Amino acid sequence: MKNILLCTDGSSFAEGVYRYGAWFAIQFKAQINVLSVTDIRSQKVSSTGNLSGSIGLGASEQLLNELVNLEHKKAKLNNQRAKLILQNAAEVLETEGVEKYSLTNKTGFLVDVFHEFEENSDLIVLGKQGQSAFASGHLGSNVDRIIRSSGKPCLVTPLKFKPIDRILVAYDGSLTSKEILQFLRDFPCFQRLEIHILTVDKNTTDPTAIARINEAQKWLQSAGFESVCSILAGEAEKALTHYISQHNISLLLMGAYGHSRIRHLAIGSTTTQILQSSSIPILLFR
């Protein structure tokens, strides 16, 4: 992992994005690119249409000139705001010990600009809410679109940063789940952390579920990882939430697609619910 892309709009979740991004960059010795996108719609002034017939040609031309000037002023303010956002990002990253980073501001639509930068990134980091979120528990619309469209691992961060020392893998035996285990094996830095693996099934004595969790444990053991493995029965969202709370988990890793109950976390409303309710970062794999 060489390049980490941090998406920011300067909202209250931005500091969490910077600090979690810094944590991963230091573990992986990766470079960070901070991307701030100024929504082009924020610079547009509402059109008045053609008013020459009602207010006269001279008055219409004067109004048009004032609108143009107003757009220029809004663009200037947006540029100043973007500079402050990136300046704050740089300050936080340096405080966290990050040396290699770049700062980028673009004007356009976030999702469109995002895909230009995604190609050269190995990990995407974004807060679960942005400026446009209208309620404290609401998942940002751009966040949802990016998660669904991105082919790269996406780390969705909460408001507050907490040190990562205990991680949970939601394991369902799918190809994506195995890729998560391979991801852990590829980075020895995770051996310092306490690793939990959880399977959710209809019942805890199901032979398939037992075989699945044993498979995961042996896979990690062969690479020198010790893990705590568990099977819980019930709905995936409730089981994961309960386990995270009971074991003070500080990072959840899960696949965006799978072949079991956990699958539904990433493709339906359940995904949105756990992202909204979670107070820990969630690393989603595709």
Side-chain angles (χ1 to χ4, degrees), residues 27-245:
Q27 307 306 313
F28 300 146
K29 296 180 174 55
Q31 177 170 320
I32 282 179
N33 183 17
V34 183
L35 175 63
S36 171
V37 178
T38 301
D39 193 321
I40 195 169
R41 292 168 296 187
S42 67
Q43 295 179 183
K44 297 293 183 183
V45 177
S46 299
S47 172
T48 58
N50 185 357
L51 299 176
S52 57
S54 57
I55 65 175
L57 184 61
S60 177
E61 184 176 355
Q62 182 180 355
L63 178 59
L64 180 61
N65 289 333
E66 291 179 357
L67 290 173
V68 170
N69 290 333
L70 183 56
E71 283 194 0
H72 287 162
K73 289 179 181 178
K74 292 186 72 172
K76 187 176 180 180
L77 288 172
N78 282 336
N79 286 333
Q80 292 175 344
R81 180 177 178 277
K83 287 181 180 179
L84 291 174
I85 290 173
L86 295 177
Q87 179 181 327
N88 176 248
E91 290 173 355
V92 175
L93 292 177
E94 290 177 7
T95 300
E96 295 297 317
V98 175
E99 298 178 351
K100 296 180 180 179
Y101 66 85
S102 59
L103 308 172
T104 305
N105 174 241
K106 292 284 187 178
T107 298
F109 295 102
L110 173 60
V111 175
D112 294 337
V113 175
F114 163 77
H115 288 299
E116 295 178 20
F117 289 82
E118 178 198 20
E119 183 177 357
N120 295 321
S121 302
D122 303 302
L123 173 66
I124 314 300
V125 185
L126 62 167
K128 73 174 185 178
Q129 286 185 7
Q131 276 193 323
S132 59
F134 56 82
S136 59
H138 189 75
L139 188 67
S141 57
N142 284 325
V143 174
D144 187 60
R145 284 199 287 267
I146 287 174
I147 291 172
R148 292 177 186 278
S149 64
S150 176
K152 302 295 178 63
C154 290
L155 178 68
V156 183
T157 63
L159 181 63
K160 299 293 184 181
F161 173 84
K162 294 180 180 178
I164 296 174
D165 52 16
R166 196 171 292 116
I167 66 176
L168 171 64
V169 177
Y171 189 78
D172 62 4
S174 66
L175 180 60
T176 306
S177 288
K178 294 175 180 176
E179 289 176 354
I180 294 175
L181 298 185
Q182 184 61 51
F183 172 78
L184 296 178
R185 287 172 54 121
D186 289 342
F187 297 100
C189 59
F190 287 112
Q191 289 184 345
R192 300 194 302 268
L193 307 179
E194 186 175 308
I195 298 177
H196 293 241
I197 303 175
L198 176 65
T199 283
V200 181
D201 210 292
K202 294 179 180 178
N203 62 73
T204 58
T205 59
D206 181 75
T208 302
I210 294 172
R212 184 187 306 150
I213 201 76
N214 288 338
E215 172 193 57
Q217 188 172 36
K218 290 179 180 177
W219 176 253
L220 286 180
Q221 278 179 342
S222 65
F225 286 81
E226 295 297 328
S227 58
V228 178
C229 297
S230 304
I231 303 173
L232 290 182
E235 296 180 10
E237 179 207 352
K238 292 181 179 178
L240 281 171
T241 303
H242 177 74
Y243 193 93
I244 289 169
S245 174

Side-chain angles (χ1 to χ4, degrees), residues 243-261:
Y243 193 93
I244 289 169
S245 174
Q246 289 294 309
H247 294 84
N248 196 25
I249 299 296
S250 45
L251 172 66
L252 170 64
L253 291 80
M254 58 180 291
Y257 294 94
H259 300 284
S260 73
R261 293 182 174 199

